[in-house]
Amino acid sequence: MYKGDVVQILGQRKDQSFLQSVLIPSRCYTIEKYGCGVPDRYQKWINNEFYMAVGTVSSITPLPDTAIIPKHWFSFVSKTQIPDYKDQHADFVGFFSKLINCTKKDSEPYLLLILKNDSGEDIAISLWKEFTSVSSKFDRVVLENAPAPVIVAITSIKISTYAGALRLGTSSATHLYINPPIPEMKLLMDSYNTLPEVPVFLDPPIQLSKILDKSHSDLSDRTLTTKACIIEYIFSDSWYHVQCPKCKNTTFKQGKNWFCPSDGILESPCSTFKLNAVIKDESHSMTVVLSDNATQELLGTTADNLRSDNTDDRKEVPPIAISLLGTPRKMKIRMTNTSKDNNIRFIVTNIEKMPSEVPPSMTTPPPDRPTSSKNTNEESAQNYQQSKQNVRRSLPFENPVTTKRKAARKME
């Protein structure tokens, strides 16, 4: 191996656990007693025609930290190069934008990591549970709480084809690094303030009736733009879900703390929105799932900021959500992964952010317009009770054909 090259180490069967126990990422080692082989298409992770076969008989000795050998090595791929790496692995770097909670067809949760490159374009990478459950590879709390701008480098991303489209996903060799000391970090930081704002809603809106008329195959792996207003919120037992920030399992209140069956006592769990809604335009209406990301864009805040320790609050949608009923917004909508040919469901992934036009409210009424606090409170209470009629607490997902008929009768 020449200076500056990179080589991969492969351990077979029983040797794998041994290598995982002695080799630590970003550490230096001398390795003796190994073989060299030629990787096949399933073994080849990097652009090197040879690999080192290392096992329990090999001699692996740690080296002290050295400035000569870099701690990180990456082979970054740009967004335009992705098609050239089909069925291969590549590394990516960019600004951390957000994490989106998603679900596979078998209901297994995963995360969608959104990075922005130096041109402001989004790069979406699926973080599978096998990756996110390993704390040495990924720490959501650290990533989401790091001060912006945050540079993320992520390695060994599998570029594959799914339903005719290219998809990026983590592999068993993937690691995520936050603000790594690499030359690309300085270049990205220098371009941070000049990043263009890429509009989310470029496509013209499609009427809901036309979306409902599309077949399962027409909707597969497509995200459509529509413009509609929310006329009703729907939830079962709570409008939010409290989960463990590490494993994403449901957590339970235990005194002043929270308890996760997998990770034990937690001081501060994370909350996500768990709302569904009825949306309507001039052509039709439909029941949709509001993703956590879309609800944050709608309300301008997170579930953690709206949730209180009073468990009764989970049964009432926050007033800020009620106040937005009936306001038309552009939305990104797609078919859920669990949809069937005879039961198509939809999820809203993005909602257009509206600039606030409400002037700052005064803390006291002007002297020439005295206001009765009693009357004001009574009027507010009446308005809030009336708005609560637009909230349902159970969601039996309806057959889309039945839903169309019900909506048609309402419009008649």
Side-chain angles (χ1 to χ4, degrees):
M1 184 175 69
Y2 298 100
K3 180 179 178 181
D5 282 353
V6 61
V7 66
Q8 67 186 67
I9 295 174
L10 291 181
Q12 303 295 333
R13 300 181 180 86
K14 66 178 182 179
D15 296 325
Q16 293 180 2
S17 58
F18 165 70
L19 292 176
Q20 290 175 342
S21 66
V22 297
L23 294 177
I24 301 174
S26 301
R27 298 288 179 86
C28 299
Y29 301 89
T30 57
I31 302 177
E32 298 176 313
K33 299 180 182 178
Y34 61 87
C36 290
V38 178
D40 58 33
R41 57 174 298 192
Y42 300 105
Q43 296 173 322
K44 190 174 182 179
W45 297 86
I46 58 176
N47 188 24
N48 194 322
E49 298 304 320
F50 299 93
Y51 70 86
M52 295 173 61
V54 181
T56 53
V57 299
S58 301
S59 175
I60 303 176
T61 307
L63 285 174
D65 290 339
T66 172
I68 300 176
I69 303 176
K71 289 187 175 182
H72 302 286
W73 183 92
F74 304 98
S75 180
F76 293 124
V77 169
S78 66
K79 186 170 184 177
T80 57
Q81 292 175 311
I82 291 176
D84 299 331
Y85 284 79
K86 178 184 173 183
D87 296 328
Q88 299 183 50
H89 296 80
D91 304 339
F92 292 88
V93 65
F95 295 103
F96 169 63
S97 178
K98 57 188 173 183
L99 288 170
I100 302 176
N101 296 297
C102 302
T103 306
K104 291 183 179 180
K105 288 185 177 180
D106 59 1
S107 299
E108 181 177 286
Y110 70 97
L111 293 174
L112 192 65
L113 170 67
I114 306 297
L115 300 179
K116 284 188 179 294
N117 61 17
D118 54 0
S119 299
E121 299 173 312
D122 286 346
I123 299 175
I125 302 173
S126 298
L127 308 183
W128 308 125
K129 188 176 181 180
E130 294 79 6
F131 168 73
T132 58
S133 60
V134 182
S135 59
S136 61
K137 296 182 177 182
F138 175 75
D139 191 324
R140 180 172 185 173
V141 175
V142 172
L143 177 60
E144 292 187 319
N145 289 279
V150 179
I151 306 298
V152 166
I154 187 165
T155 65
S156 301
I157 297 301
K158 175 71 173 178
I159 302 175
S160 57
T161 304
Y162 178 77
L166 289 174
R167 181 174 66 179
L168 312 182
T170 54
S171 66
S172 58
T174 298
H175 281 74
L176 186 145
Y177 301 90
I178 300 174
N179 296 329
I182 55 177
E184 288 83 358
M185 181 172 172
K186 184 180 184 306
L187 296 174
L188 283 168
M189 285 295 187
D190 290 343
S191 66
Y192 178 74
N193 294 325
T194 60
L195 277 179
E197 187 68 26
V198 179
V200 177
F201 302 95
L202 290 175
D203 303 325
I206 301 174
Q207 290 183 333
L208 294 181
S209 59
K210 294 182 178 180
I211 295 177
L212 289 168
D213 286 338
K214 293 183 180 295
S215 65
H216 187 281
S217 58
D218 291 335
L219 294 167
S220 181
D221 289 301
R222 290 188 63 190
T223 300
L224 305 173
T225 299
T226 189
K227 187 171 185 179
C229 59
I230 298 174
I231 61 173
E232 184 180 358
Y233 295 108
I234 307 171
F235 65 97
S236 52
D237 57 336
S238 175
W239 56 267
Y240 61 84
H241 176 230
V242 184
Q243 60 187 14
C244 174
K246 298 179 181 178
C247 66
K248 307 308 171 190
N249 288 334
T250 300
T251 58
F252 305 90
K253 189 69 174 174
Q254 193 174 83
K256 294 183 178 180
N257 297 316
W258 292 79
F259 175 76
C260 170
S262 299
D263 294 291
I265 299 297
L266 303 171
E267 292 185 4
S268 56
C270 61
S271 303
T272 57
F273 289 105
K274 196 173 68 171
L275 279 173
N276 299 271
V278 177
I279 62 174
K280 181 180 180 181
D281 66 4
E282 68 279 1
S283 69
H284 224 302
S285 64
M286 68 167 66
T287 300
V288 297
V289 178
L290 294 179
S291 70
D292 181 65
N293 177 71
T295 312
Q296 288 188 38
E297 293 176 338
L298 173 69
L299 305 182
T301 187
T302 63
D304 279 319
N305 291 335
L306 295 177
R307 178 182 65 83
S308 70
D309 291 333
N310 183 0
T311 55
D312 290 337
D313 288 350
R314 62 189 174 89
K315 301 176 182 178
E316 302 292 343
V317 173
I320 186 175
I322 300 295
S323 68
L324 296 172
L325 289 170
T327 304
R329 299 282 186 95
K330 287 183 180 180
M331 305 177 184
K332 287 290 186 181
I333 186 172
R334 64 173 174 82
M335 181 178 64
T336 63
N337 294 333
T338 56
S339 292
K340 307 296 182 183
D341 289 338
N342 61 346
N343 187 14
I344 297 178
R345 306 172 185 176
F346 293 94
I347 181 171
V348 175
T349 59
N350 295 90
I351 295 181
E352 181 183 26
K353 298 177 182 179
M354 300 292 287
S356 177
E357 297 179 357
V358 180
S361 59
M362 293 178 288
T363 56
T364 57
D368 57 340
R369 294 181 60 188
T371 303
S372 168
S373 59
K374 179 180 179 181
N375 293 340
T376 302
N377 292 337
E378 290 177 352
E379 183 180 352
S380 299
Q382 291 174 358
N383 291 338
Y384 180 60
Q385 292 298 327
Q386 184 178 359
S387 299
K388 283 167 59 179
Q389 297 176 3
N390 290 326
V391 180
R392 282 193 283 156
R393 296 193 183 87
S394 62
L395 181 61
F397 273 107
E398 301 168 295
N399 187 291
V401 176
T402 307
T403 305
K404 286 185 182 181
R405 291 173 181 170
K406 288 181 178 181
R409 286 199 295 269
K410 287 182 181 179
M411 295 184 68
E412 290 173 358

